[in-house]
Amino acid sequence: MNGAEYIVRKLMSEGVDTLFGYPGGCIMPLYDALLESPIRHILCRHEQGSAFAANGYARSSGRTGVCLATSGPGATNLITGLADAYMDSVPMVAITGQVPTPLIGSDAFQEIDVLGMSLPVTKQSFLVEQIEQLPEILDQAFHVAREGRPGPVLVDLPKDIQLATLPARTLPQPDPARTRPQATQEQLRQAIELIKASCRPIIFGGGGILLGDAIVPFRHFVDTTGIPAVFSLKGLGTLPGDHPRNMGMLGMHGSVAANQAVQEADLLIAVGVRFDDRVTGKLSRFAPHARVIHLDIDPAEIGKLRQASCALAGDIRQNLKALAIHLEVSDWQAACRERLARDGFALPRQDGITGPHLLRQLSAMTRGQAIISCDVGQHQMWVAQHYAFDHPRKHLTSGGLGAMGFGLPAAIGAQLANPDTLVINVAGDGSFMMNMQELATIGRYRLPTKILILDNQALGMVRQQQAVCYQGRYSEIDLSDNPDFCTLAQAFGIPARSLTDPDDMAYAINKLLETPGPALLHVAIATEHNVWPMVKPGEANDQIMTGANP
């Protein structure tokens, strides 16, 4: 068989059933080989859409997402999607075509050093220079993408390698799961002593809980210890939204209750987090009274930003089980419950339709069970604040990179990975315009994905920061010339309606959810509505602003 045929067989042996891509000259041999395979190829309308779709597929399923692109601009268009996967630890394999090996370095047509470009935003990148290298490189690519802290891997594949003959060989079996390292008994003993000695402990949960397949032991740990928990953006859903110990999101747009509880805590049990600046605010004043127990599969994260009193690297599942002891912290529990009731996320007192009211209604009508794929901006924060997720795989959001245009293609990937699940892309008008060409992908494959656009005719999050931090000097945030989004959707064969009357909100959401196949709901909201609370960039979390209309 040739190299392209081998790649297809390898993909099948890895259980890959869906690919996302866009063909071009230097990847044509692989596309030719796909014609005889049972693997479903989804033709996205932009390579960035392909990368984000593979990303959403992986996030929502836990399987490795795979995307394809040709050399030159095809490969460069994948870079943003790879960077997003790298920052949020999403397992992906990207296969890019490259000019034939004799032409590498000659400035040939559509030749770009994608290996060099991708190195900072992948776990590992490979250039296949000889056909004999192909089996081992593909084995490594899938192994590296999944192993330990997951992430993206790129395989750059010259056209002549795809056409070269590879001797028939038995396909390797997928790598068996490796035993993860475990903290020592002495480290666990120290952690337990810190927990027993604390009076005001707080659990800080992040995306690593899901990545470490630790949802069940984490919930058991919370229930057994009784310790209140706060979450990063990627940690939402780790506890159900209505769990009595769930204090919600902390950080820049977290609740006053969550932020103040962390500021008063004497022990912070950080599980699968990286102490991102959007969470900590001014790092030197974050949880100033707390000692830290840090659990993470990636030892490089421990001590990187916040020194840990006790470091527990390795398998967080086993470490959480070992730390699940009964505590008596009823006074602290009561204080946190009272604070949450008083200072949790509240609906704004505003006329008309607001993002919080809309998303609180959507959460109630879907019972937190839909997969919500967000873009980036104010709507993203309103989703995090007011949609009560029952599992983190149902919350797809560009956390570390903050990439506008993520939501629609990620929803496509999630829908294909979860064909029987309700998938909703919640978008802002600015973000939606960045990858709206993927409406054609939804239309072509008749995906039942729902789209909810919150249209404030502005780059809302930029406008808010200009209002708060730049004395209202608004620069290039006006989107009042947006197209008619309903007409746009209908041009792609997708039914659409607009919502302008708050009294029709429940009816309009219900019609969106009940429409067979894809559907779009356009919602007009006021430009001046802001996301509250807010901590200014670089300030401490106890300097939180609640706005004029909390």
Side-chain angles (χ1 to χ4, degrees):
M1 71 188 105
N2 65 26
E5 292 165 341
Y6 177 83
I7 293 168
V8 171
R9 288 185 58 184
K10 173 62 177 175
L11 293 173
M12 293 170 59
S13 77
E14 291 286 346
V16 176
D17 57 10
T18 306
L19 300 173
F20 304 89
Y22 202 96
C26 285
I27 198 73
M28 280 187 186
L30 179 52
Y31 271 85
D32 183 70
L34 282 171
L35 286 173
E36 271 72 48
S37 86
I39 299 174
R40 186 181 191 187
H41 179 277
I42 301 300
L43 178 67
C44 296
R45 298 307 173 93
H46 191 285
E47 290 90 355
Q48 187 181 104
S50 300
F52 282 149
N55 193 314
Y57 181 97
R59 287 181 192 246
S60 65
S61 67
R63 303 194 292 273
T64 303
V66 182
C67 56
L68 310 177
T70 193
S71 64
T76 61
N77 283 341
L78 293 180
I79 295 294
T80 298
L82 293 174
D84 181 88
Y86 182 72
M87 294 191 73
D88 282 356
S89 303
V90 179
M92 283 175 53
V93 172
I95 300 175
T96 53
Q98 184 55 276
V99 300
T101 51
L103 296 181
I104 291 178
S106 70
D107 295 329
F109 177 67
Q110 291 191 335
E111 181 198 358
I112 284 288
D113 179 13
V114 69
L115 177 72
M117 290 183 68
S118 64
L119 284 173
V121 295
T122 58
K123 285 185 72 177
Q124 195 165 350
S125 293
F126 300 91
L127 171 64
V128 185
E129 298 178 279
Q130 298 176 348
I131 186 63
E132 292 79 14
Q133 298 174 319
L134 182 61
E136 182 179 355
I137 285 177
L138 288 177
D139 291 351
Q140 288 187 58
F142 279 91
H143 176 73
V144 170
R146 291 188 296 254
E147 177 69 11
R149 181 177 183 168
V153 176
L154 180 133
V155 179
D156 199 28
L157 200 62
K159 189 173 183 180
D160 58 320
I161 301 296
Q162 299 171 57
L163 294 170
T165 300
L166 187 73
R169 66 190 291 270
T170 302
L171 282 171
Q173 295 299 312
D175 292 311
R178 294 187 180 181
T179 302
R180 295 175 176 175
Q182 172 64 7
T184 67
Q185 290 301 311
E186 176 59 21
Q187 289 171 325
L188 292 170
R189 185 194 65 78
Q190 292 175 3
I192 290 172
E193 290 303 313
L194 287 173
I195 294 172
K196 287 180 177 179
S198 65
C199 297
R200 300 181 306 279
I202 285 286
I203 299 166
F204 171 24
I209 299 168
L210 174 64
L211 297 174
D213 192 25
I215 300 295
V216 172
F218 179 82
R219 292 180 177 182
H220 174 72
F221 175 69
V222 173
D223 290 337
T224 302
T225 62
I227 300 174
V230 299
F231 297 94
S232 69
L233 180 67
K234 283 191 64 192
L236 295 177
T238 306
L239 281 185
D242 59 356
H243 192 283
R245 301 287 172 261
N246 189 345
M247 298 194 68
M249 186 173 69
L250 81 160
M252 176 177 281
H253 292 293
S255 71
V256 173
N259 280 315
Q260 289 295 345
V262 170
Q263 293 303 96
E264 294 179 14
D266 62 0
L267 179 67
L268 192 67
I269 305 171
V271 187
V273 301
R274 55 190 180 90
F275 290 94
D276 179 78
D277 62 291
R278 286 295 178 99
V279 168
T280 65
K282 189 172 185 178
L283 185 62
S284 63
R285 292 177 57 184
F286 177 71
H289 311 295
R291 304 185 76 178
V292 174
I293 301 171
H294 195 169
L295 294 76
D296 206 289
I297 196 171
D298 185 356
E301 287 297 340
I302 299 178
K304 185 177 77 173
L305 294 173
R306 175 65 181 258
Q307 191 63 40
S309 304
C310 182
L312 301 178
D315 189 342
I316 61 175
R317 295 174 299 182
Q318 297 304 317
N319 291 336
L320 285 169
K321 291 176 184 177
L323 299 182
I325 61 174
H326 292 279
L327 293 179
E328 177 46 58
V329 287
S330 56
D331 290 346
W332 176 238
Q333 290 172 351
C336 287
R337 281 197 304 270
E338 180 182 346
R339 176 178 281 124
L340 183 62
R342 183 181 67 244
D343 297 325
F345 292 122
L347 291 174
R349 296 190 298 271
Q350 291 173 323
D351 295 330
I353 301 170
T354 73
H357 281 97
L358 185 78
L359 292 161
R360 190 76 68 88
Q361 183 77 50
L362 181 68
S363 180
M365 294 177 71
T366 60
R367 301 188 302 281
Q369 296 176 0
I371 294 176
I372 305 295
S373 179
C374 293
D375 279 284
V376 169
Q378 289 178 314
H379 67 280
Q380 178 191 29
M381 294 298 101
W382 284 326
V383 166
Q385 291 176 343
H386 297 284
Y387 194 94
F389 292 95
D390 67 1
H391 197 281
R393 287 220 184 277
K394 296 179 180 177
H395 181 212
L396 310 185
T397 193
S398 179
L401 190 64
M404 295 175 69
F406 170 88
L408 183 62
I412 290 171
Q415 190 72 81
L416 286 157
N418 305 270
D420 299 322
T421 300
L422 174 63
V423 177
I424 306 171
N425 168 216
V426 177
D429 49 322
S431 287
F432 185 76
M433 293 281 284
M434 287 207 169
N435 271 317
M436 65 181 181
Q437 77 284 340
E438 299 309 327
L439 289 174
T441 308
I442 289 176
R444 165 176 283 205
Y445 299 102
R446 302 308 300 168
L447 301 177
T449 308
K450 314 305 180 191
I451 302 164
L452 180 60
I453 300 177
L454 280 68
D455 181 6
N456 62 0
Q457 301 202 338
L459 293 174
M461 191 62 84
V462 179
R463 188 205 62 79
Q464 177 169 341
Q465 293 220 13
Q466 289 175 350
V468 173
C469 305
Y470 294 87
Q471 297 77 50
R473 291 167 55 82
Y474 299 119
S475 177
E476 298 302 325
I477 47 83
D478 178 23
L479 298 182
S480 59
D481 55 353
N482 278 330
D484 182 328
F485 288 110
C486 290
T487 301
L488 179 68
Q490 289 162 0
F492 288 97
I494 297 172
R497 64 173 58 232
S498 286
L499 171 63
T500 57
D501 187 340
D503 292 336
D504 294 336
M505 187 162 58
Y507 173 79
I509 293 174
N510 188 59
K511 291 296 290 183
L512 174 74
L513 302 181
E514 287 189 344
T515 300
L520 181 146
L521 177 62
H522 169 257
V523 184
I525 62 173
T527 303
E528 62 271 13
H529 288 181
N530 289 331
V531 179
W532 302 114
M534 176 183 175
V535 178
K536 287 184 180 180
E539 293 192 351
N541 284 353
D542 54 9
Q543 295 177 289
I544 194 165
M545 304 167 63
T546 57
N549 295 291

